[in-house]
Amino acid sequence: MGAAVSIDGFGPGAQVPLTGTGGGTGATNALASAAYRDSELKTIQEADNELYKTTLKAGKWEKLFRPDLGEAFSRAVQVRMLGGGRGALIQSFGAEPQPVVEHCLAATHIRRQRDTKLTLITFVCGVLFLPGLLLWLGVIQLRRLVAGSDNKRTSVLGTVLLWGAGIFAALVLLKLPLDGILPNYLRAMLVAPVIGWLLARRICDRSAVDLRERWAGLLSGGGAGPQVPKSVPQDPGEKSAEDLRLNLEKLSAEQQSNIAFYAGPKGILGLGTRWGSWTLAEELVPVAGREIHDFRAWDVIRKIHDQLTLLERGSLKTGFPKPTVKHWVVSAVGEGADSVTRPEGDNIVHFQVKPHEIQRICNDQQFGAGNRHYLGVQFTLWDGNLVLTMMVTVTSLHHTLRIEVTGHALGPVHGLFGTKPAAKTKEVSKTVRFWETKSIQQPLLTTDDIVRLAVRAPLTWYPPVLEFLGGKMVLPEPFGLRHVWAGPLWKNRFMADDAIRMATPVLRAVHSATLKFLDEHNVDTERFTNRSLVLSGGIQEPGPKKADVYDA
């Protein structure tokens, strides 16, 4: 059922794709593209929805050490999903978390290669000539503060300030005597940071182009795969590589877990909110002259399970997708819970509840405290951007049998993750026809960007200090890559139609299996049949509702 976390051997061997995940490359690639983005960090908050909010923590020197979206996203995802003391994760239905994490690792590796070169340049051209470096940084910082003003005169003053510093440096170079160590050091002190800046620009530009190509490649459906160095240990001494391999396997195993969490109005975490509910509940009455053959809830669920696996077999060749049918154990957590804890014990192996325990929960834990059993039938559509789940639960209290079917829908990944890199342009007036404008190409990185990357480079090897100085992104909890950035479903007509259409055949398959089972056990099905017909008629025009929010 789930992926076993191996603890022996020194390589993962052949990687066999796990079946039944329903992963879509579209949603996965969209989320992974965030690792390569060079947008401002605050743009991530555009993807927030009403249930989950991303927190941005400011740094002490945010202006100079701030991270961009890709840097902060990669760091946050790696710490949250691979950290040694990380908490439980919510499954990412419709997407695969491991490729996203691997792209974050690959993007971090590219940036660290760039930062290694920038650190060397900073040491040679900056630290050895520290007074000149501090002088230029002061001028640039002052220019940034002045240029940020809304006053146009003040903004022009920032540009004049930078030109004035350049003219002053030129005068110093020309007027100082040619002999002596101090005059030559003063010359080098002013020139070396400029040479370092030119070299840094070339390195940063090449890195920016590489990251953008990977960003565009992911959203185009192709591009190079993530290159994660030292992800496969070659000998027992490579502890870091072995830890990384085990953490990635643990991540994949947790993705296959059959334990879910219900959080009040947030619904079942990872599956989306409940938009519809249909209940078939009637008294169990024997057929005249016969006795009911004893049965339990698990017997009914097994019959329904067998029927749902045949959904793709229809009279018409309509391309109805093959569903994923799975038994779930759902545990209740508070609406405002900032974390979840996966249960442990003898009945759980590799995040999977054993079949005999699932059967016990289905039969015994129907009322009062405890976990609940659900049978889920899931469709992953639109390349992972739409996840539709119908959950079936069977309960029997006294002489009443209750079959409840609920619809859950997880919308597409927010549109922010689907935007491709665009060239940076600027609208300016034409020289002659000044009343007309034209678009001119701007460099990918500005002077401020180069300075920011150069001063961050020596600190990237110890991220906590860098986060203290520049700030960081805190992911919403309980965290799962897919559901926290899910956009609205019902604003897309085609997706909404798919959700509504899918409910009818599933509901009828559940009712058909139930009625057939009851007939076999000498139950009078007249009332069940009548109620089923009423529900079948009502589902002709179902409308989405907030079924997890009770108006009481």
Side-chain angles (χ1 to χ4, degrees):
M1 292 181 58
V5 181
S6 174
I7 58 173
D8 54 2
F10 305 110
Q15 299 297 295
V16 181
L18 295 168
T19 59
T21 62
T25 57
T28 301
N29 289 349
L31 291 168
S33 70
Y36 301 106
R37 294 173 183 261
D38 52 18
S39 316
E40 291 188 19
L41 177 55
K42 64 181 180 181
T43 58
I44 190 64
Q45 293 186 321
E46 298 175 11
D48 290 343
N49 55 48
E50 59 182 6
L51 297 178
Y52 302 97
K53 304 294 182 182
T54 304
T55 303
L56 303 182
K57 291 192 175 181
K60 293 298 181 182
W61 290 345
E62 190 176 11
K63 293 284 186 181
L64 196 59
F65 290 92
R66 69 190 184 281
D68 60 26
L69 174 56
E71 292 166 339
F73 180 87
S74 298
R75 168 68 179 167
V77 169
Q78 289 176 64
V79 171
R80 181 61 183 85
M81 305 191 79
L82 297 178
R86 72 171 178 84
L89 293 167
I90 305 302
Q91 298 94 315
S92 300
F93 302 106
E96 289 294 338
Q98 182 171 337
V100 177
V101 175
E102 289 176 346
H103 277 288
C104 289
L105 291 168
T108 300
H109 177 65
I110 293 172
R111 293 187 177 102
R112 284 195 171 178
Q113 286 183 317
R114 174 201 66 196
D115 292 341
T116 300
K117 299 174 184 177
L118 291 178
T119 301
L120 180 61
I121 292 175
T122 301
F123 178 78
V124 174
C125 299
V127 176
L128 296 181
F129 304 96
L130 187 58
L133 176 63
L134 295 177
L135 178 63
W136 282 108
L137 286 178
V139 171
I140 292 173
Q141 181 68 10
L142 184 60
R143 174 182 174 271
R144 181 186 291 114
L145 294 174
V146 173
S149 173
D150 293 333
N151 189 329
K152 291 185 177 180
R153 292 184 179 179
T154 309
S155 299
V156 172
L157 180 61
T159 304
V160 173
L161 179 65
L162 189 60
W163 277 100
I167 294 173
F168 173 75
L171 291 175
V172 170
L173 293 175
L174 295 175
K175 296 298 183 179
L176 284 175
L178 297 177
D179 54 346
I181 297 178
L182 181 60
N184 289 326
Y185 178 78
L186 291 175
R187 286 191 178 91
M189 179 186 75
L190 295 175
V191 173
V194 177
I195 296 175
W197 178 83
L198 293 174
L199 294 174
R201 169 172 281 281
R202 295 191 60 183
I203 293 171
C204 292
D205 282 340
R206 284 200 299 267
S207 176
V209 170
D210 185 15
L211 292 171
R212 284 195 156 217
E213 287 178 350
R214 293 171 183 272
W215 169 8
L218 280 171
L219 297 181
S220 299
Q227 298 176 1
V228 185
K230 298 183 180 179
S231 60
V232 179
Q234 303 297 324
D235 59 70
E238 295 187 15
K239 186 178 184 302
S240 60
E242 178 68 7
D243 289 343
L244 177 58
R245 181 183 72 85
L246 291 176
N247 283 330
L248 289 173
E249 289 191 1
K250 179 182 177 182
L251 178 63
S252 294
E254 193 168 6
Q255 170 73 0
Q256 305 304 313
S257 174
N258 59 2
I259 304 172
F261 302 91
Y262 170 73
K266 292 182 178 180
I268 297 179
L269 299 178
L271 291 177
T273 54
R274 186 169 57 153
W275 66 269
S277 178
W278 302 270
T279 302
L280 175 65
E282 295 294 342
E283 185 180 1
L284 293 171
V285 178
V287 176
R290 298 184 181 181
E291 292 185 357
I292 297 177
H293 293 168
D294 291 340
F295 63 89
R296 304 194 70 180
W298 179 253
D299 301 321
V300 183
I301 278 291
R302 286 178 56 192
K303 192 71 173 181
I304 295 173
H305 175 278
D306 295 340
Q307 186 69 30
L308 290 175
T309 57
L310 303 176
L311 273 176
E312 62 176 332
R313 301 181 184 179
S315 302
L316 301 177
K317 300 297 182 181
T318 57
F320 196 62
K322 180 178 177 61
T324 300
V325 184
K326 186 174 182 178
H327 293 279
W328 291 93
V329 173
V330 180
S331 178
V333 296
E335 175 188 355
D338 57 0
S339 64
V340 295
T341 302
R342 293 198 174 275
E344 298 178 350
D346 296 337
N347 293 318
I348 298 175
V349 178
H350 300 316
F351 306 104
Q352 297 277 346
V353 179
K354 291 182 178 180
H356 71 85
E357 177 65 9
I358 293 177
Q359 181 176 343
R360 187 195 67 79
I361 293 173
C362 177
N363 287 327
D364 299 340
Q365 294 184 198
Q366 300 180 0
F367 205 65
N371 298 330
R372 301 293 172 86
H373 167 270
Y374 285 84
L375 176 65
V377 52
Q378 190 173 85
F379 299 87
T380 302
L381 310 172
W382 293 75
D383 204 11
N385 278 299
L386 177 62
V387 181
L388 304 177
T389 309
M390 301 289 284
M391 302 290 271
V392 184
T393 181
V394 176
T395 58
S396 62
L397 298 175
H398 196 47
H399 297 301
T400 300
L401 180 67
R402 180 186 182 96
I403 292 88
E404 185 175 6
V405 182
T406 57
H408 304 254
L410 187 66
V413 173
H414 193 276
L416 170 70
F417 295 94
T419 56
K420 294 184 178 181
K424 295 184 178 181
T425 58
K426 182 180 179 181
E427 294 290 330
V428 298
S429 299
K430 292 184 178 179
T431 305
V432 179
R433 298 181 178 181
F434 55 85
W435 59 89
E436 297 180 0
T437 60
K438 62 180 180 180
S439 180
I440 60 173
Q441 189 84 12
Q442 294 285 98
L444 283 180
L445 300 175
T446 63
T447 301
D448 291 346
D449 294 329
I450 304 299
V451 173
R452 180 186 70 85
L453 294 174
V455 297
R456 280 175 57 90
L459 299 175
T460 52
W461 301 101
Y462 195 67
V465 173
L466 200 56
E467 291 175 346
F468 172 78
L469 295 174
K472 64 178 180 178
M473 177 173 70
V474 179
L475 300 170
E477 296 290 346
F479 181 71
L481 271 173
R482 181 68 175 82
H483 74 281
V484 298
W485 287 305
L489 161 67
W490 305 107
K491 293 183 179 181
N492 185 309
R493 180 59 186 267
F494 286 177
M495 290 187 179
D497 286 346
D498 286 345
I500 293 172
R501 289 167 183 166
M502 179 270 299
T504 306
V506 172
L507 182 70
R508 288 177 175 167
V510 171
H511 288 179
S512 174
T514 302
L515 293 173
K516 184 176 180 180
F517 178 87
L518 295 177
D519 280 334
E520 294 172 351
H521 286 73
N522 296 336
V523 176
D524 186 351
T525 59
E526 181 180 358
R527 291 186 178 181
F528 284 95
T529 302
N530 292 337
R531 176 62 179 165
S532 176
L533 291 175
V534 172
L535 291 175
S536 182
I539 204 174
Q540 296 290 339
E541 295 182 4
K545 299 178 178 62
K546 292 184 177 180
D548 281 307
V549 181
Y550 294 99
D551 186 13

